[in-house]
């Protein structure tokens, strides 16, 4: 069961999670990260590293955010792998915890 990056990552894009991933399954977009479900080995290392609490096991994705399962699979095929921690987006703290951020997603 792979892990899934959900809504709260949008416009935050903390990358603490990518450095602990042993299989390099994270992919980076302009303002969001995704996990490649085919590469994820369910090691659980990334989930506690996310300051925005945006990473969930696929079976535990919050109600209403199930679409992020398919979105992670789709975008992981388009975006490059990220393995090194970077600074979060400049206004990440302002966006952390906001809902309804899907329209903010940049592809």
């Amino acid at each position: 069961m792979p892990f899934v990056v959900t809504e709260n990552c949008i416009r935050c894009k903390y990358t603490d999670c990518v450095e602990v991933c042993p299989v390099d399954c994270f992919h980076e977009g302009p303002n969001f990260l995704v996990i490649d479900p085919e590469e994820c080995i369910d090691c659980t290392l990334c989930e506690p590293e996310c300051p925005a609490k945006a990473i969930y096991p696929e079976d535990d994705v919050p109600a209403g955010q199930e679409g992020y399962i398919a979105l992670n699979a789709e975008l992981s095929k388009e975006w490059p792998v990220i393995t090194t921690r970077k600074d979060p987006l400049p206004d990440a703290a302002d966006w952390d915890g906001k809902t309804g951020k899907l329209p903010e997603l940049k592809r």
Side-chain angles (χ1 to χ4, degrees):
M1 168 185 55
F3 279 72
V4 177
V5 180
T6 58
E7 178 178 54
N8 205 39
C9 182
I10 298 172
R11 297 217 44 183
C12 291
K13 200 171 87 168
Y14 294 102
T15 57
D16 306 59
C17 52
V18 303
E19 285 193 325
V20 298
C21 181
V23 294
D24 301 337
C25 67
F26 282 90
H27 294 253
E28 178 186 26
N31 67 350
F32 187 54
L33 298 175
V34 295
I35 293 174
D36 182 340
E38 294 182 21
E39 292 294 322
C40 182
I41 59 170
D42 192 27
C43 70
T44 74
L45 294 174
C46 61
E47 184 180 21
E49 295 300 317
C50 180
K53 306 292 184 232
I55 301 173
Y56 293 88
E58 183 176 328
D59 289 346
D60 294 334
V61 169
Q65 294 194 44
E66 297 87 356
Y68 285 89
I69 297 169
L71 189 62
N72 275 244
E74 172 194 342
L75 296 176
S76 66
K77 291 177 178 23
E78 299 173 16
W79 290 347
V81 170
I82 177 173
T83 58
T84 306
R85 186 172 184 261
K86 298 179 179 180
D87 290 334
L89 296 175
D91 57 352
D94 297 335
W95 285 94
D96 189 2
K98 292 193 177 188
T99 59
K101 294 197 289 185
L102 187 56
E104 299 289 329
L105 176 65
K106 294 181 182 174
R107 292 177 177 245

